[in-house]
Amino acid sequence: MRSWLACALVQLAFLAWLSGEAGATLINNGLAPPNPTNVIDDDSLAEELLEIANLGCARRPPCSSATPTHVEMVDDAVLDWVAVYQDSSFSVSGGSAGSASPPHSGLSVNLFDEASFVLDAALTCSVLLQGSVQVEVKNGSAAFYPHAGSPRIAVTGGDVDLSWGFDVPAVVRLDGGELRLPRHSSGLELDVFGGVVDCSYKARMKGATVRLSGGRVGDVSPCEIMLEQSSHMSVTGGDLSGHVWVSTNSTLSIASGSLGAGFPPEILGLEVKLTAFHGGVIEIAGRHFTMLSGPPLTRLRTVPYGELAEDGYLLGVLPNGEAFGQRLSVPVHLEGGIIRLIPDGVNNNPDTGALFQGLGDLPGGETWSAALGVSFDGRVVVGESSSANGIDEAFLWSEESGLLALGDLPGGEFWSEAWAASSDGSVIVGGGESGAGREAFRWSSADGMVGLGDLPGGSFFSIAKAVSVDGLVVVGTSRSARGFEAFRWNAGQQMQTMGETPEAEYAADARDVSADGGIVVGQTNLGHPYRWTAAGGIEVLSSTSGSADRVSTDGTMIVGVLGEWDAPIHDAVRWTFGGTDPAVEILFSAPRLQITATSGDTARVSAWSRLWGSNAALWEEGGVLRPLDEALAEAGFDLGAEPLGPWITTAAFGSSGDGRVLVGWGLSPGRSTSAWIMRWPGEPVPEPSGGLLAACALLTLAVLRRRAHAQAT
């Protein structure tokens, strides 16, 4: 038996027992003075039962046509129990409850028929509802136990607890104070104009109508509301946070308001889940999203502090059940069944082209993604993301296409990641899992993902890390008979090694390639930085341990790191070629240093250092190495303010040729690892050409066709 029913039955049994005792007092207009209002102002009724009924009626009378009785409790009155019948009323503006009131402490109020009750005192009450009763709470604390009927409750102050459950239709209005939602309810009608709604537990609503036009839903922690069986929730103001489940012909409509504005940045603003039941609808600022089919769970997430735009969203569903979206005044990213709404805020300035934006992740897996590279023109981002297909899946992103999954090589367990892109992003390279093992791939919209094989002699392995601007030269690492060894792949040729020095030192990995594909840099098998050219072969740049990590567009400058792996300080070094011997300069020094990206002229260098822990670092020509977040703040980006929230840029792993665009990953406002793209202020970014838009359209269609073909087979 439910707890609230048990409490109600105990109250009724105790009420029946007391009603026959001499201590029970009946107040009605036949026993009281002619004045229809009775005032209790002393302790004469301490620990007694007070029954309030109509004129001429016996105790618990069935009559309803007599004159109502009104009783007010004030001053020093002390009362344990009160029962109110018919359309009589009881109000509390003072006094206190007795000290021994079974089964509850405080004042127990039992309302029947069409009785009414007003609480306007700092008093704790438990209220039994049975009938079409009316309650107003202005002060104090009241816990409600509905038994039958259709009660109406108005709250303008105090603390109201409905958490025991409301399986009777009730009308509740909140203008102030705090209200705890029922854990389960049927037919509840709730209007929130002010105050705070607390539901840090699951609040299951069946056939409910909830209207939020003010106040806040979510108190100490975000709410969890489950809209079931034709329940409807509309938001036209106020603040909504937490988790909302929409299922079985239920709807959630959000026209305006804020999401999670009352919570610290590490708490998610709002997560809306469309369950697999057909008929659930989300309407955001007049646009609809309907769950037709697809995975068991579809999620809509927004970052904290995200103000809702009136015309910022265009949502829809593809015939196969996948969501799609178009960027309007607010960036919208819909990948598969997951919808990401990311406000622009001050971090997207169309006048200067400045941009900082999270890219979201692929649907179906964990909330995780990382950007590993960007095209030379800065328009196409590549990387990896958790997805429904596997732990990691390669992706590409552009403003025109959004996030697109690239799939995997056939035959092996699902895994893929994309590391680099050609000048316009039409060719992407990385690694996948084929039937032979982990294998480097080259992806294009025309051919899809194609494995590049591996070097002969060792166990099967290869991965591609860089590509020339025309997409025809790919470099990376494989495994040969002598261990890990760098490779260079040219269109129409097999994967090849890059030879060795007279001292038998060879390239163990390839980390970058010049724009024309003619110069490759990396680290040798002995841990030294090297430079490779077709004419000169491998040239070891230093006898000190280190690596050559990035090469300039024209191949004349190389940036890398020198220092033993366990040395306390490493040096970032730039080699400049132009004469017989390269000029060597130290750009900066830092503990446990790694170069992760450079601009085409090496004037901007992105790095990671143990000095700043989980933060990316940036060096600019003539400056010093500093946290990337600090440089962004100086340039006008505010990663800790509304509406973006406190992004933490963990790593910057790719740069456009002009150095204006950086990509990487970090901690998003929802505290998940997420890919990001940023663009430094400068001239406004021109709109994509018709040719580029057409290419993006063909690219998107190619990905969708291949995905559909994969699902069909």
Side-chain angles (χ1 to χ4, degrees):
M1 184 179 294
R2 291 191 176 99
S3 298
W4 66 267
L5 183 55
C7 292
L9 291 176
V10 171
Q11 286 191 11
L12 288 173
F14 192 74
L15 178 64
W17 175 76
L18 268 179
S19 64
E21 297 299 307
T25 301
L26 173 66
I27 293 184
N28 61 36
N29 279 348
L31 300 177
N35 187 345
T37 299
N38 301 275
V39 177
I40 308 171
D41 58 3
D42 57 35
D43 61 357
S44 60
L45 294 175
E47 299 184 14
E48 291 191 3
L49 169 67
L50 174 68
E51 290 188 304
I52 304 172
N54 287 350
L55 175 65
C57 294
R59 199 168 291 172
R60 295 192 197 157
C63 56
S64 60
S65 60
T67 303
T69 299
H70 306 283
V71 175
E72 182 180 10
M73 179 175 170
V74 299
D75 300 335
D76 298 325
V78 180
L79 185 64
D80 286 335
W81 292 79
V82 61
V84 188
Y85 299 96
Q86 288 84 41
D87 51 356
S88 295
S89 63
F90 176 61
S91 63
V92 177
S93 56
S96 61
S99 59
S101 301
H104 299 287
S105 61
L107 174 63
S108 292
V109 179
N110 299 266
L111 303 177
F112 300 90
D113 310 316
E114 297 181 357
S116 61
F117 169 53
V118 177
L119 176 61
D120 190 12
L123 197 65
T124 299
C125 298
S126 59
V127 185
L128 174 70
L129 307 173
Q130 184 165 313
S132 300
V133 300
Q134 297 189 47
V135 180
E136 183 178 1
V137 179
K138 301 179 180 179
N139 191 9
S141 176
F144 290 87
Y145 306 94
H147 180 60
S150 52
R152 302 177 68 90
I153 302 171
V155 184
T156 57
D159 186 352
V160 171
D161 186 0
L162 309 180
S163 63
W164 283 97
F166 257 69
D167 289 327
V168 299
V171 177
V172 181
R173 174 181 173 128
L174 179 67
D175 289 278
E178 182 172 341
L179 173 74
R180 283 185 287 282
L181 284 180
R183 295 181 183 271
H184 49 83
S185 63
S186 296
L188 176 66
E189 184 176 343
L190 172 64
D191 283 283
V192 181
F193 297 96
V196 177
V197 175
D198 175 24
C199 50
S200 53
Y201 40 82
K202 280 191 175 84
R204 302 188 64 176
M205 298 183 171
K206 299 178 180 178
T209 301
V210 181
R211 293 177 287 263
L212 176 64
S213 56
R216 188 171 81 245
V217 175
D219 187 16
V220 178
S221 59
C223 277
E224 187 160 1
I225 298 174
M226 306 180 73
L227 302 176
E228 302 175 346
Q229 298 182 15
S230 301
S231 292
H232 306 286
M233 182 175 185
S234 62
V235 181
T236 58
D239 184 73
L240 174 63
S241 67
H243 309 265
V244 180
W245 299 63
V246 185
S247 68
T248 324
N249 299 316
S250 297
T251 63
L252 170 64
S253 174
I254 303 176
S256 61
S258 60
L259 305 175
F263 290 98
E266 61 270 17
I267 296 181
L268 183 70
L270 175 67
E271 178 176 271
V272 180
K273 303 177 180 179
L274 280 172
T275 71
F277 298 114
H278 295 272
V281 175
I282 298 174
E283 182 183 54
I284 302 177
R287 315 291 186 182
H288 285 82
F289 176 81
T290 305
M291 181 66 174
L292 299 179
S293 62
L297 202 62
T298 299
R299 295 171 293 176
L300 175 148
R301 290 183 176 180
T302 71
V303 299
Y305 312 131
E307 294 295 328
L308 295 170
E310 294 184 357
D311 58 353
Y313 311 101
L314 178 61
L315 311 179
V317 177
L318 297 173
N320 64 357
E322 295 179 338
F324 71 93
Q326 179 180 346
R327 183 180 182 275
L328 299 178
S329 64
V330 172
V332 179
H333 303 287
L334 300 88
E335 313 94 27
I338 296 183
I339 309 169
R340 304 287 182 193
L341 308 181
I342 306 174
D344 285 350
V346 298
N347 297 287
N348 190 4
N349 189 331
D351 295 330
T352 65
L355 170 72
F356 186 98
Q357 180 176 318
L359 304 185
D361 57 82
L362 296 172
E366 299 295 326
T367 305
W368 182 90
S369 65
L372 303 176
V374 63
S375 59
F376 189 81
D377 63 9
R379 293 187 179 275
V380 177
V381 182
V382 299
E384 60 181 329
S385 170
S386 176
S387 75
N389 292 321
I391 297 175
D392 296 304
E393 182 170 3
F395 72 77
L396 71 82
W397 176 93
S398 72
E399 289 191 79
E400 294 73 36
S401 69
L403 206 67
L404 295 176
L406 297 183
D408 187 21
L409 295 170
E413 293 185 5
F414 197 98
W415 175 87
S416 63
E417 60 183 13
W419 275 94
S422 61
S423 176
D424 60 358
S426 60
V427 173
I428 296 168
V429 300
E433 194 80 22
S434 68
R438 193 148 292 190
E439 182 175 359
F441 72 75
R442 179 181 183 272
W443 183 97
S444 69
S445 57
D447 300 326
M449 189 177 290
V450 177
L452 302 183
D454 79 331
L455 295 173
S459 58
F460 195 96
F461 172 84
S462 64
I463 187 168
K465 287 296 186 72
V467 62
S468 59
V469 293
D470 60 7
L472 298 179
V473 176
V474 180
V475 301
T477 303
S478 183
R479 190 181 282 121
S480 68
R482 52 187 179 182
F484 288 110
E485 187 166 0
F487 73 81
R488 184 176 183 272
W489 177 95
N490 202 346
Q493 299 180 2
Q494 296 295 318
M495 187 179 289
Q496 299 176 346
T497 67
M498 289 182 286
E500 62 183 21
T501 68
E503 295 76 26
E505 191 168 359
Y506 60 91
D509 68 20
R511 304 188 178 188
D512 200 11
V513 65
S514 60
D516 62 1
I519 298 175
V520 181
V521 299
Q523 188 178 53
T524 70
N525 61 309
L526 299 182
H528 299 141
Y530 78 85
R531 171 181 182 258
W532 177 93
T533 62
I538 294 177
E539 176 186 356
V540 177
L541 300 178
S542 174
S543 59
T544 303
S545 295
S547 60
D549 298 301
R550 295 294 183 267
V551 60
S552 63
T553 302
D554 60 6
T556 61
M557 290 179 285
I558 296 172
V559 177
V561 173
L562 291 180
E564 298 296 330
W565 182 86
D566 57 352
I569 298 293
H570 292 158
D571 294 325
V573 176
R574 179 165 59 191
W575 293 271
T576 302
F577 295 82
T580 305
D581 296 315
V584 182
E585 60 180 317
I586 296 176
L587 304 182
F588 51 87
S589 301
R592 197 63 63 87
L593 190 61
Q594 179 184 359
I595 303 300
T596 55
T598 64
S599 58
D601 60 0
T602 72
R604 275 192 175 128
V605 177
S606 298
W608 181 90
S609 169
R610 190 172 59 185
L611 181 63
W612 292 293
S614 60
N615 293 88
L618 179 73
W619 175 87
E620 296 176 284
E621 197 77 55
V624 297
L625 186 69
R626 56 179 174 162
L628 175 59
D629 292 351
E630 179 183 311
L632 290 171
E634 185 178 291
F637 296 94
D638 191 347
L639 306 187
E642 300 181 17
L644 196 63
W647 270 91
I648 298 175
T649 56
T650 305
F653 251 77
S655 172
S656 60
D658 62 4
R660 191 176 174 192
V661 174
L662 279 179
V663 301
W665 73 85
L667 287 179
S668 70
R671 285 302 174 263
S672 60
T673 300
S674 180
W676 53 261
I677 180 174
M678 65 81 52
R679 185 167 55 232
W680 297 103
E683 293 297 321
V685 176
E687 290 296 319
S689 64
L692 180 59
L693 288 175
C696 288
L698 291 174
L699 185 65
T700 304
L701 287 173
V703 171
L704 292 176
R705 286 194 187 112
R706 291 183 182 279
R707 187 183 301 168
H709 176 71
Q711 292 173 345
T713 56

